[in-house]
Amino acid sequence: NAGVTQTPKFQVLKTGQSMTLQCAQDMNHNSMYWYRQDPGMGLRLIYYSASEGTTDKGEVPNGYNVSRLNKREFSLRLESAAPSQTSVYFCASSDGFSGNTIYFGEGSWLTVV
Amino acid sequence: GEDVEQSLFLSVREGDSSVINCTYTDSSSTYLYWYKQEPGAGLQLLTYIFSNMDMKQDQRLTVLLNKKDKHLSLRIADTQTGDSAIYFCAEGGFQKLVFGTGTRLLVSP
């Protein structure tokens, strides 16, 4: 039972570099999410996709882009990484119906130097 | 906007009960959740409660909801060292959740 799988688990970037975080879920969920977690700030929603073909901004979208490639996959792209984007990134998914329970991946630790 | 607040730390002895508190602002939330995060891992859903309920019990976990005061609590009975983790309260309706800052629970032997 894979659930939500995200890659890479760890990444170090130089300021200005670009990279894409990949996420896939095998639960046939309609909705997918990207959160970032910073010390003392809990989880903040970056972008979400309510269904295949749609994406919407969350609380902290600046500096990020997303693509809902198909129902399974939702990627997060940093076009020009900044030190302020050093964080732990979590992908999540939900079916949007069963109590709105959200299932999380194990996280991607990103450091921008 | 929506806001969820929690205290940052709680320390208890093994065998005692732990109570983690949370306050929220969005009275239209349909569900309220408790998630657990162990070191180096993602968030794991512990339990959730519908907004029209006052209490939910699930084995060692008891969730109390006071809608008037917008206060949610999680009680862990007979706390064990394996319960040491960060606990997140979250509120939400359709599609999106708003998380609190998390409470780090430390259980000492």
Side-chain angles (χ1 to χ4, degrees), chain A residues 20-67:
Chain A
T20 299
L21 298 175
Q22 307 285 354
C23 176
Q25 51 91 9
D26 62 1
M27 295 174 281
N28 200 36
H29 283 168
N30 290 311
S31 303
M32 297 186 74
Y33 313 81
W34 277 105
Y35 286 88
R36 61 177 287 173
Q37 182 180 23
D38 301 292
M41 301 190 75
L43 274 76
R44 292 181 293 170
L45 182 64
I46 305 171
Y47 270 93
Y48 69 101
S49 170
S51 61
E52 186 179 354
T54 69
T55 61
D56 286 285
K57 294 179 180 179
E59 184 184 353
V60 287
N62 291 345
Y64 305 95
N65 286 302
V66 290
S67 296

mmCIF file of all heavy atoms in Angstrom, chain A residues 20-67:
data_model
loop_
_atom_site.group_PDB
_atom_site.id
_atom_site.type_symbol
_atom_site.label_atom_id
_atom_site.label_comp_id
_atom_site.label_asym_id
_atom_site.label_seq_id
_atom_site.Cartn_x
_atom_site.Cartn_y
_atom_site.Cartn_z
ATOM 1 N N THR A 20 11.785 20.376 -9.577
ATOM 2 C CA THR A 20 10.392 19.936 -9.486
ATOM 3 C C THR A 20 10.286 18.816 -8.469
ATOM 4 O O THR A 20 11.057 17.854 -8.503
ATOM 5 C CB THR A 20 9.888 19.431 -10.850
ATOM 6 O OG1 THR A 20 9.968 20.496 -11.804
ATOM 7 C CG2 THR A 20 8.448 18.958 -10.741
ATOM 8 N N LEU A 21 9.335 18.976 -7.549
ATOM 9 C CA LEU A 21 8.993 17.908 -6.615
ATOM 10 C C LEU A 21 7.845 17.114 -7.220
ATOM 11 O O LEU A 21 6.850 17.692 -7.659
ATOM 12 C CB LEU A 21 8.576 18.487 -5.261
ATOM 13 C CG LEU A 21 9.629 19.301 -4.512
ATOM 14 C CD1 LEU A 21 9.026 19.915 -3.256
ATOM 15 C CD2 LEU A 21 10.818 18.437 -4.154
ATOM 16 N N GLN A 22 8.024 15.797 -7.215
ATOM 17 C CA GLN A 22 7.023 14.929 -7.810
ATOM 18 C C GLN A 22 6.169 14.279 -6.727
ATOM 19 O O GLN A 22 6.653 13.961 -5.648
ATOM 20 C CB GLN A 22 7.698 13.826 -8.636
ATOM 21 C CG GLN A 22 8.696 14.312 -9.672
ATOM 22 C CD GLN A 22 8.023 14.925 -10.883
ATOM 23 O OE1 GLN A 22 6.800 14.889 -11.020
ATOM 24 N NE2 GLN A 22 8.838 15.505 -11.774
ATOM 25 N N CYS A 23 4.901 14.070 -7.025
ATOM 26 C CA CYS A 23 3.996 13.416 -6.096
ATOM 27 C C CYS A 23 3.025 12.537 -6.862
ATOM 28 O O CYS A 23 2.497 12.957 -7.910
ATOM 29 C CB CYS A 23 3.225 14.458 -5.295
ATOM 30 S SG CYS A 23 1.993 13.752 -4.179
ATOM 31 N N ALA A 24 2.797 11.342 -6.343
ATOM 32 C CA ALA A 24 1.832 10.439 -6.950
ATOM 33 C C ALA A 24 1.046 9.733 -5.856
ATOM 34 O O ALA A 24 1.586 9.405 -4.807
ATOM 35 C CB ALA A 24 2.531 9.420 -7.843
ATOM 36 N N GLN A 25 -0.250 9.514 -6.127
ATOM 37 C CA GLN A 25 -1.087 8.779 -5.171
ATOM 38 C C GLN A 25 -1.806 7.659 -5.915
ATOM 39 O O GLN A 25 -2.178 7.803 -7.075
ATOM 40 C CB GLN A 25 -2.077 9.714 -4.464
ATOM 41 C CG GLN A 25 -2.918 10.608 -5.360
ATOM 42 C CD GLN A 25 -4.234 10.022 -5.785
ATOM 43 O OE1 GLN A 25 -4.662 8.974 -5.286
ATOM 44 N NE2 GLN A 25 -4.909 10.687 -6.722
ATOM 45 N N ASP A 26 -1.986 6.557 -5.179
ATOM 46 C CA ASP A 26 -2.598 5.381 -5.801
ATOM 47 C C ASP A 26 -3.946 5.053 -5.180
ATOM 48 O O ASP A 26 -4.391 3.898 -5.211
ATOM 49 C CB ASP A 26 -1.643 4.181 -5.711
ATOM 50 C CG ASP A 26 -1.319 3.778 -4.282
ATOM 51 O OD1 ASP A 26 -1.855 4.412 -3.345
ATOM 52 O OD2 ASP A 26 -0.518 2.852 -4.104
ATOM 53 N N MET A 27 -4.597 6.052 -4.593
ATOM 54 C CA MET A 27 -5.869 5.831 -3.916
ATOM 55 C C MET A 27 -7.056 6.328 -4.732
ATOM 56 O O MET A 27 -8.173 6.398 -4.218
ATOM 57 C CB MET A 27 -5.829 6.527 -2.550
ATOM 58 C CG MET A 27 -4.784 5.907 -1.632
ATOM 59 S SD MET A 27 -4.574 6.800 -0.070
ATOM 60 C CE MET A 27 -3.560 8.165 -0.609
ATOM 61 N N ASN A 28 -6.810 6.710 -5.974
ATOM 62 C CA ASN A 28 -7.862 7.203 -6.860
ATOM 63 C C ASN A 28 -8.558 8.448 -6.283
ATOM 64 O O ASN A 28 -9.762 8.659 -6.475
ATOM 65 C CB ASN A 28 -8.911 6.117 -7.153
ATOM 66 C CG ASN A 28 -9.712 6.407 -8.414
ATOM 67 O OD1 ASN A 28 -9.177 6.943 -9.387
ATOM 68 N ND2 ASN A 28 -10.977 6.069 -8.398
ATOM 69 N N HIS A 29 -7.771 9.267 -5.569
ATOM 70 C CA HIS A 29 -8.336 10.475 -4.968
ATOM 71 C C HIS A 29 -8.492 11.587 -5.996
ATOM 72 O O HIS A 29 -7.684 11.725 -6.918
ATOM 73 C CB HIS A 29 -7.438 10.965 -3.840
ATOM 74 C CG HIS A 29 -7.573 10.160 -2.592
ATOM 75 N ND1 HIS A 29 -6.692 10.270 -1.532
ATOM 76 C CD2 HIS A 29 -8.496 9.249 -2.214
ATOM 77 C CE1 HIS A 29 -7.075 9.456 -0.570
ATOM 78 N NE2 HIS A 29 -8.157 8.815 -0.962
ATOM 79 N N ASN A 30 -9.533 12.387 -5.797
ATOM 80 C CA ASN A 30 -9.756 13.524 -6.692
ATOM 81 C C ASN A 30 -8.862 14.708 -6.350
ATOM 82 O O ASN A 30 -8.401 15.420 -7.231
ATOM 83 C CB ASN A 30 -11.218 13.974 -6.619
ATOM 84 C CG ASN A 30 -12.153 12.963 -7.238
ATOM 85 O OD1 ASN A 30 -11.927 12.490 -8.341
ATOM 86 N ND2 ASN A 30 -13.205 12.628 -6.517
ATOM 87 N N SER A 31 -8.646 14.951 -5.080
ATOM 88 C CA SER A 31 -7.972 16.169 -4.646
ATOM 89 C C SER A 31 -6.546 15.889 -4.216
ATOM 90 O O SER A 31 -6.252 14.894 -3.568
ATOM 91 C CB SER A 31 -8.724 16.790 -3.467
ATOM 92 O OG SER A 31 -10.058 17.045 -3.817
ATOM 93 N N MET A 32 -5.664 16.827 -4.580
ATOM 94 C CA MET A 32 -4.262 16.734 -4.160
ATOM 95 C C MET A 32 -3.777 18.095 -3.709
ATOM 96 O O MET A 32 -4.300 19.129 -4.137
ATOM 97 C CB MET A 32 -3.396 16.178 -5.310
ATOM 98 C CG MET A 32 -3.787 14.754 -5.704
ATOM 99 S SD MET A 32 -2.695 14.000 -6.912
ATOM 100 C CE MET A 32 -1.235 13.655 -5.907
ATOM 101 N N TYR A 33 -2.747 18.091 -2.856
ATOM 102 C CA TYR A 33 -2.309 19.305 -2.176
ATOM 103 C C TYR A 33 -0.784 19.335 -2.057
ATOM 104 O O TYR A 33 -0.150 18.291 -1.968
ATOM 105 C CB TYR A 33 -2.883 19.360 -0.750
ATOM 106 C CG TYR A 33 -4.350 19.057 -0.633
ATOM 107 C CD1 TYR A 33 -4.814 17.749 -0.624
ATOM 108 C CD2 TYR A 33 -5.283 20.082 -0.518
ATOM 109 C CE1 TYR A 33 -6.166 17.460 -0.507
ATOM 110 C CE2 TYR A 33 -6.637 19.802 -0.395
ATOM 111 C CZ TYR A 33 -7.060 18.496 -0.399
ATOM 112 O OH TYR A 33 -8.401 18.223 -0.284
ATOM 113 N N TRP A 34 -0.253 20.539 -2.005
ATOM 114 C CA TRP A 34 1.123 20.739 -1.590
ATOM 115 C C TRP A 34 1.137 21.703 -0.415
ATOM 116 O O TRP A 34 0.580 22.804 -0.483
ATOM 117 C CB TRP A 34 1.977 21.314 -2.722
ATOM 118 C CG TRP A 34 2.494 20.278 -3.671
ATOM 119 C CD1 TRP A 34 2.058 20.021 -4.924
ATOM 120 C CD2 TRP A 34 3.565 19.361 -3.424
ATOM 121 N NE1 TRP A 34 2.781 18.990 -5.481
ATOM 122 C CE2 TRP A 34 3.714 18.575 -4.585
ATOM 123 C CE3 TRP A 34 4.431 19.126 -2.343
ATOM 124 C CZ2 TRP A 34 4.680 17.565 -4.702
ATOM 125 C CZ3 TRP A 34 5.385 18.126 -2.452
ATOM 126 C CH2 TRP A 34 5.502 17.366 -3.622
ATOM 127 N N TYR A 35 1.799 21.255 0.668
ATOM 128 C CA TYR A 35 1.983 22.068 1.860
ATOM 129 C C TYR A 35 3.482 22.259 2.096
ATOM 130 O O TYR A 35 4.293 21.436 1.714
ATOM 131 C CB TYR A 35 1.417 21.362 3.104
ATOM 132 C CG TYR A 35 -0.083 21.330 3.212
ATOM 133 C CD1 TYR A 35 -0.818 20.289 2.636
ATOM 134 C CD2 TYR A 35 -0.771 22.301 3.918
ATOM 135 C CE1 TYR A 35 -2.193 20.233 2.758
ATOM 136 C CE2 TYR A 35 -2.161 22.258 4.038
ATOM 137 C CZ TYR A 35 -2.850 21.217 3.453
ATOM 138 O OH TYR A 35 -4.211 21.176 3.582
ATOM 139 N N ARG A 36 3.805 23.317 2.812
ATOM 140 C CA ARG A 36 5.152 23.458 3.345
ATOM 141 C C ARG A 36 5.064 23.569 4.854
ATOM 142 O O ARG A 36 4.094 24.119 5.398
ATOM 143 C CB ARG A 36 5.899 24.647 2.739
ATOM 144 C CG ARG A 36 5.315 26.006 2.955
ATOM 145 C CD ARG A 36 6.194 27.103 2.363
ATOM 146 N NE ARG A 36 7.402 27.322 3.158
ATOM 147 C CZ ARG A 36 8.411 28.126 2.786
ATOM 148 N NH1 ARG A 36 8.337 28.799 1.646
ATOM 149 N NH2 ARG A 36 9.482 28.267 3.557
ATOM 150 N N GLN A 37 6.074 23.015 5.525
ATOM 151 C CA GLN A 37 6.096 23.035 6.987
ATOM 152 C C GLN A 37 7.358 23.738 7.435
ATOM 153 O O GLN A 37 8.472 23.337 7.089
ATOM 154 C CB GLN A 37 6.082 21.609 7.564
ATOM 155 C CG GLN A 37 6.051 21.581 9.076
ATOM 156 C CD GLN A 37 6.038 20.176 9.644
ATOM 157 O OE1 GLN A 37 6.459 19.225 8.995
ATOM 158 N NE2 GLN A 37 5.541 20.038 10.852
ATOM 159 N N ASP A 38 7.184 24.776 8.239
ATOM 160 C CA ASP A 38 8.286 25.543 8.785
ATOM 161 C C ASP A 38 8.169 25.577 10.297
ATOM 162 O O ASP A 38 7.055 25.581 10.825
ATOM 163 C CB ASP A 38 8.272 26.969 8.212
ATOM 164 C CG ASP A 38 8.377 26.962 6.696
ATOM 165 O OD1 ASP A 38 9.445 26.590 6.199
ATOM 166 O OD2 ASP A 38 7.378 27.299 6.023
ATOM 167 N N PRO A 39 9.294 25.621 11.000
ATOM 168 C CA PRO A 39 9.253 25.581 12.475
ATOM 169 C C PRO A 39 8.359 26.685 13.042
ATOM 170 O O PRO A 39 8.469 27.844 12.652
ATOM 171 C CB PRO A 39 10.721 25.799 12.859
ATOM 172 C CG PRO A 39 11.500 25.325 11.685
ATOM 173 C CD PRO A 39 10.668 25.676 10.480
ATOM 174 N N GLY A 40 7.492 26.290 13.972
ATOM 175 C CA GLY A 40 6.633 27.264 14.640
ATOM 176 C C GLY A 40 5.493 27.801 13.793
ATOM 177 O O GLY A 40 4.750 28.677 14.246
ATOM 178 N N MET A 41 5.340 27.291 12.562
ATOM 179 C CA MET A 41 4.295 27.830 11.681
ATOM 180 C C MET A 41 3.329 26.762 11.196
ATOM 181 O O MET A 41 2.458 27.047 10.385
ATOM 182 C CB MET A 41 4.922 28.554 10.492
ATOM 183 C CG MET A 41 5.829 29.694 10.905
ATOM 184 S SD MET A 41 6.339 30.713 9.531
ATOM 185 C CE MET A 41 4.848 31.618 9.241
ATOM 186 N N GLY A 42 3.476 25.564 11.638
ATOM 187 C CA GLY A 42 2.564 24.513 11.201
ATOM 188 C C GLY A 42 2.698 24.247 9.714
ATOM 189 O O GLY A 42 3.744 24.483 9.104
ATOM 190 N N LEU A 43 1.637 23.767 9.116
ATOM 191 C CA LEU A 43 1.619 23.510 7.681
ATOM 192 C C LEU A 43 0.851 24.604 6.972
ATOM 193 O O LEU A 43 -0.240 24.980 7.406
ATOM 194 C CB LEU A 43 0.942 22.164 7.383
ATOM 195 C CG LEU A 43 1.824 20.936 7.446
ATOM 196 C CD1 LEU A 43 2.099 20.557 8.877
ATOM 197 C CD2 LEU A 43 1.181 19.778 6.715
ATOM 198 N N ARG A 44 1.395 25.081 5.888
ATOM 199 C CA ARG A 44 0.712 26.104 5.102
ATOM 200 C C ARG A 44 0.497 25.594 3.683
ATOM 201 O O ARG A 44 1.412 25.040 3.065
ATOM 202 C CB ARG A 44 1.529 27.400 5.103
ATOM 203 C CG ARG A 44 1.590 28.073 6.465
ATOM 204 C CD ARG A 44 2.388 29.360 6.420
ATOM 205 N NE ARG A 44 3.803 29.115 6.157
ATOM 206 C CZ ARG A 44 4.685 30.065 5.872
ATOM 207 N NH1 ARG A 44 4.291 31.322 5.784
ATOM 208 N NH2 ARG A 44 5.954 29.750 5.656
ATOM 209 N N LEU A 45 -0.691 25.822 3.186
ATOM 210 C CA LEU A 45 -1.066 25.306 1.869
ATOM 211 C C LEU A 45 -0.465 26.180 0.774
ATOM 212 O O LEU A 45 -0.649 27.399 0.763
ATOM 213 C CB LEU A 45 -2.595 25.277 1.759
ATOM 214 C CG LEU A 45 -3.185 24.720 0.471
ATOM 215 C CD1 LEU A 45 -2.829 23.242 0.317
ATOM 216 C CD2 LEU A 45 -4.690 24.917 0.455
ATOM 217 N N ILE A 46 0.239 25.538 -0.157
ATOM 218 C CA ILE A 46 0.855 26.269 -1.261
ATOM 219 C C ILE A 46 -0.111 26.318 -2.447
ATOM 220 O O ILE A 46 -0.485 27.385 -2.924
ATOM 221 C CB ILE A 46 2.175 25.600 -1.694
ATOM 222 C CG1 ILE A 46 3.125 25.451 -0.503
ATOM 223 C CG2 ILE A 46 2.851 26.403 -2.801
ATOM 224 C CD1 ILE A 46 4.344 24.613 -0.804
ATOM 225 N N TYR A 47 -0.488 25.150 -2.927
ATOM 226 C CA TYR A 47 -1.439 25.002 -4.017
ATOM 227 C C TYR A 47 -2.251 23.741 -3.761
ATOM 228 O O TYR A 47 -1.810 22.833 -3.069
ATOM 229 C CB TYR A 47 -0.712 24.833 -5.370
ATOM 230 C CG TYR A 47 -0.410 26.093 -6.117
ATOM 231 C CD1 TYR A 47 0.814 26.742 -5.969
ATOM 232 C CD2 TYR A 47 -1.336 26.639 -7.004
ATOM 233 C CE1 TYR A 47 1.110 27.897 -6.680
ATOM 234 C CE2 TYR A 47 -1.049 27.798 -7.724
ATOM 235 C CZ TYR A 47 0.175 28.419 -7.556
ATOM 236 O OH TYR A 47 0.465 29.566 -8.266
ATOM 237 N N TYR A 48 -3.414 23.698 -4.370
ATOM 238 C CA TYR A 48 -4.173 22.459 -4.340
ATOM 239 C C TYR A 48 -4.877 22.260 -5.671
ATOM 240 O O TYR A 48 -5.012 23.204 -6.470
ATOM 241 C CB TYR A 48 -5.167 22.434 -3.175
ATOM 242 C CG TYR A 48 -6.331 23.381 -3.288
ATOM 243 C CD1 TYR A 48 -7.595 22.943 -3.680
ATOM 244 C CD2 TYR A 48 -6.172 24.727 -2.961
ATOM 245 C CE1 TYR A 48 -8.657 23.814 -3.768
ATOM 246 C CE2 TYR A 48 -7.242 25.603 -3.048
ATOM 247 C CZ TYR A 48 -8.481 25.140 -3.443
ATOM 248 O OH TYR A 48 -9.543 26.012 -3.532
ATOM 249 N N SER A 49 -5.291 21.011 -5.867
ATOM 250 C CA SER A 49 -6.002 20.649 -7.092
ATOM 251 C C SER A 49 -7.233 19.862 -6.670
ATOM 252 O O SER A 49 -7.119 18.752 -6.167
ATOM 253 C CB SER A 49 -5.108 19.799 -7.994
ATOM 254 O OG SER A 49 -5.843 19.251 -9.064
ATOM 255 N N ALA A 50 -8.403 20.471 -6.855
ATOM 256 C CA ALA A 50 -9.637 19.827 -6.411
ATOM 257 C C ALA A 50 -9.994 18.629 -7.283
ATOM 258 O O ALA A 50 -10.654 17.690 -6.814
ATOM 259 C CB ALA A 50 -10.781 20.833 -6.407
ATOM 260 N N SER A 51 -9.581 18.663 -8.516
ATOM 261 C CA SER A 51 -9.843 17.546 -9.422
ATOM 262 C C SER A 51 -8.880 17.637 -10.582
ATOM 263 O O SER A 51 -8.223 18.667 -10.795
ATOM 264 C CB SER A 51 -11.291 17.582 -9.924
ATOM 265 O OG SER A 51 -11.526 18.771 -10.646
ATOM 266 N N GLU A 52 -8.805 16.572 -11.334
ATOM 267 C CA GLU A 52 -7.916 16.547 -12.493
ATOM 268 C C GLU A 52 -8.251 17.717 -13.417
ATOM 269 O O GLU A 52 -9.411 17.952 -13.731
ATOM 270 C CB GLU A 52 -8.091 15.225 -13.221
ATOM 271 C CG GLU A 52 -7.130 15.010 -14.357
ATOM 272 C CD GLU A 52 -7.335 13.671 -15.025
ATOM 273 O OE1 GLU A 52 -8.153 12.869 -14.524
ATOM 274 O OE2 GLU A 52 -6.685 13.411 -16.054
ATOM 275 N N GLY A 53 -7.240 18.474 -13.790
ATOM 276 C CA GLY A 53 -7.442 19.582 -14.711
ATOM 277 C C GLY A 53 -7.646 20.928 -14.048
ATOM 278 O O GLY A 53 -7.747 21.946 -14.732
ATOM 279 N N THR A 54 -7.703 20.944 -12.705
ATOM 280 C CA THR A 54 -7.876 22.222 -12.008
ATOM 281 C C THR A 54 -6.788 22.391 -10.960
ATOM 282 O O THR A 54 -6.364 21.429 -10.331
ATOM 283 C CB THR A 54 -9.240 22.314 -11.302
ATOM 284 O OG1 THR A 54 -9.263 21.394 -10.209
ATOM 285 C CG2 THR A 54 -10.375 22.010 -12.246
ATOM 286 N N THR A 55 -6.337 23.639 -10.790
ATOM 287 C CA THR A 55 -5.414 23.971 -9.711
ATOM 288 C C THR A 55 -5.802 25.329 -9.146
ATOM 289 O O THR A 55 -6.317 26.185 -9.881
ATOM 290 C CB THR A 55 -3.941 24.020 -10.183
ATOM 291 O OG1 THR A 55 -3.805 25.023 -11.191
ATOM 292 C CG2 THR A 55 -3.482 22.678 -10.728
ATOM 293 N N ASP A 56 -5.554 25.512 -7.853
ATOM 294 C CA ASP A 56 -5.881 26.782 -7.201
ATOM 295 C C ASP A 56 -4.799 27.145 -6.202
ATOM 296 O O ASP A 56 -4.153 26.261 -5.624
ATOM 297 C CB ASP A 56 -7.220 26.679 -6.459
ATOM 298 C CG ASP A 56 -8.391 26.678 -7.410
ATOM 299 O OD1 ASP A 56 -8.706 27.758 -7.931
ATOM 300 O OD2 ASP A 56 -8.950 25.598 -7.632
ATOM 301 N N LYS A 57 -4.636 28.448 -5.995
ATOM 302 C CA LYS A 57 -3.645 28.924 -5.052
ATOM 303 C C LYS A 57 -4.118 28.685 -3.626
ATOM 304 O O LYS A 57 -5.308 28.797 -3.331
ATOM 305 C CB LYS A 57 -3.391 30.419 -5.260
ATOM 306 C CG LYS A 57 -2.746 30.742 -6.594
ATOM 307 C CD LYS A 57 -2.550 32.246 -6.752
ATOM 308 C CE LYS A 57 -1.905 32.562 -8.103
ATOM 309 N NZ LYS A 57 -1.728 34.021 -8.295
ATOM 310 N N GLY A 58 -3.142 28.397 -2.767
ATOM 311 C CA GLY A 58 -3.404 28.309 -1.344
ATOM 312 C C GLY A 58 -2.955 29.559 -0.638
ATOM 313 O O GLY A 58 -3.034 30.664 -1.187
ATOM 314 N N GLU A 59 -2.423 29.371 0.553
ATOM 315 C CA GLU A 59 -2.042 30.508 1.395
ATOM 316 C C GLU A 59 -0.730 31.149 0.964
ATOM 317 O O GLU A 59 -0.561 32.362 1.062
ATOM 318 C CB GLU A 59 -1.931 30.007 2.836
ATOM 319 C CG GLU A 59 -1.627 31.065 3.877
ATOM 320 C CD GLU A 59 -1.447 30.455 5.263
ATOM 321 O OE1 GLU A 59 -1.698 29.235 5.416
ATOM 322 O OE2 GLU A 59 -1.050 31.187 6.188
ATOM 323 N N VAL A 60 0.229 30.324 0.466
ATOM 324 C CA VAL A 60 1.578 30.831 0.160
ATOM 325 C C VAL A 60 2.041 30.371 -1.218
ATOM 326 O O VAL A 60 3.018 29.634 -1.341
ATOM 327 C CB VAL A 60 2.586 30.408 1.263
ATOM 328 C CG1 VAL A 60 2.357 31.195 2.534
ATOM 329 C CG2 VAL A 60 2.507 28.899 1.516
ATOM 330 N N PRO A 61 1.406 30.818 -2.305
ATOM 331 C CA PRO A 61 1.742 30.311 -3.628
ATOM 332 C C PRO A 61 2.934 30.978 -4.315
ATOM 333 O O PRO A 61 3.468 30.437 -5.301
ATOM 334 C CB PRO A 61 0.467 30.609 -4.420
ATOM 335 C CG PRO A 61 -0.060 31.864 -3.774
ATOM 336 C CD PRO A 61 0.274 31.737 -2.315
ATOM 337 N N ASN A 62 3.357 32.144 -3.816
ATOM 338 C CA ASN A 62 4.382 32.908 -4.541
ATOM 339 C C ASN A 62 5.692 32.135 -4.632
ATOM 340 O O ASN A 62 6.207 31.629 -3.645
ATOM 341 C CB ASN A 62 4.608 34.252 -3.855
ATOM 342 C CG ASN A 62 3.408 35.167 -4.012
ATOM 343 O OD1 ASN A 62 2.535 34.932 -4.840
ATOM 344 N ND2 ASN A 62 3.352 36.205 -3.185
ATOM 345 N N GLY A 63 6.246 32.090 -5.856
ATOM 346 C CA GLY A 63 7.508 31.400 -6.085
ATOM 347 C C GLY A 63 7.353 29.953 -6.504
ATOM 348 O O GLY A 63 8.345 29.258 -6.726
ATOM 349 N N TYR A 64 6.099 29.499 -6.621
ATOM 350 C CA TYR A 64 5.827 28.103 -6.959
ATOM 351 C C TYR A 64 4.863 28.024 -8.145
ATOM 352 O O TYR A 64 4.040 28.905 -8.351
ATOM 353 C CB TYR A 64 5.186 27.367 -5.787
ATOM 354 C CG TYR A 64 5.961 27.419 -4.504
ATOM 355 C CD1 TYR A 64 5.680 28.385 -3.542
ATOM 356 C CD2 TYR A 64 6.969 26.499 -4.244
ATOM 357 C CE1 TYR A 64 6.388 28.432 -2.353
ATOM 358 C CE2 TYR A 64 7.677 26.532 -3.049
ATOM 359 C CZ TYR A 64 7.373 27.504 -2.109
ATOM 360 O OH TYR A 64 8.081 27.541 -0.929
ATOM 361 N N ASN A 65 4.972 26.917 -8.873
ATOM 362 C CA ASN A 65 3.980 26.549 -9.873
ATOM 363 C C ASN A 65 3.650 25.077 -9.705
ATOM 364 O O ASN A 65 4.468 24.310 -9.194
ATOM 365 C CB ASN A 65 4.501 26.790 -11.296
ATOM 366 C CG ASN A 65 4.519 28.263 -11.639
ATOM 367 O OD1 ASN A 65 3.499 28.932 -11.599
ATOM 368 N ND2 ASN A 65 5.697 28.773 -11.962
ATOM 369 N N VAL A 66 2.464 24.694 -10.142
ATOM 370 C CA VAL A 66 2.062 23.294 -10.016
ATOM 371 C C VAL A 66 1.481 22.804 -11.332
ATOM 372 O O VAL A 66 1.050 23.595 -12.177
ATOM 373 C CB VAL A 66 1.000 23.090 -8.896
ATOM 374 C CG1 VAL A 66 1.613 23.288 -7.518
ATOM 375 C CG2 VAL A 66 -0.195 24.007 -9.111
ATOM 376 N N SER A 67 1.494 21.489 -11.454
ATOM 377 C CA SER A 67 0.875 20.840 -12.607
ATOM 378 C C SER A 67 0.157 19.586 -12.131
ATOM 379 O O SER A 67 0.763 18.747 -11.463
ATOM 380 C CB SER A 67 1.927 20.441 -13.656
ATOM 381 O OG SER A 67 2.561 21.562 -14.202
#
